[in-house]
Amino acid sequence: MTPLIEVVDLVKTYTDGTQALRGASFVIQEGEFVAIMGPSGSGKSTLLHILGFLDPQTSGIYKFTGKLFQDFTPSELARVRNEELGFVFQQFNLMPRQTVLENIYMPLYYSSVPKKEWRTRAEKVVAQVGLSHRIDHEAYTLSGGEKQRVAIARALINKPKLIFADEPTGNLDTKSGTDVMELLKALHTLGHTIILITHDQKIANHARRMLFIQDGRLQSDTEI
Ligand SMILES: Nc1ncnc2c1ncn2[C@@H]1O[C@H](COP(=O)(O)OP(=O)(O)O)[C@@H](O)[C@H]1O
Ligand SMILES: [Mg+2]
């Protein structure tokens, strides 16, 4: 089976000379729930930016669905980013004055999904994250935990192959953080592939596999 993600000797050196990744290699299969764990500055976000097609590596191989990163044309990259990847960030990145529904619609503006399907799709994902009763509320009125669940619904709307969550509980209290992790676990059970980025061992323990990264190198790869 072709792995969803394959990286070999991935290196990222920033223009100022910082060696954020010094040769990481691993494979992630469709359907996995993987935590990329490591201390602050270890290269986690750098890795996420490469895997999420947001920034190219300096050297090494990155294959997504068997295809080399450099073989994707700019329009293919844009399509993959929009339709095959979902992103959830620590800061939620919602538009505060827009409603939950309008926030969830955002990725659809750049997709090929016909407009008449938008409402049905949005209602499905908003129900999945347990926020049907908030669908017409403006985002700024929601609690932190609710905002993150909206961000997860928005990440799901294009039925992505893979969801990236970068410190998704970083701005949440313990209870809301646990709820968000339970939601990610439920999505994994439904068949979603999830890559979770965290510096927190307790959060990483919700995943099924942990890649531990330090100083830009993979230190261990363990099943949880
Ligand atoms: N755009 C950048 N330019 C230069 N150095 C960077 C840049 N982004 C991150 N770094 C450096 O690369 C290293 C890894 O950073 P990062 O990937 O953000 O780690 P983490 O997400 O694990 O905290 C750090 O030393 C950081 O300061
Ligand atoms: Mg980071």
Side-chain angles (χ1 to χ4, degrees), residues 14 16 18 20 39-46:
Y14 286 109
D16 67 355
T18 305
S40 180
S42 56
K44 303 182 297 297
S45 293
T46 300

Side-chain angles (χ1 to χ4, degrees), residues 160-175:
K161 271 199 162 60
L162 173 60
I163 297 167
F164 290 108
D166 191 2
E167 305 279 5
T169 63
N171 278 352
L172 301 179
D173 60 84
T174 309
K175 166 74 171 76

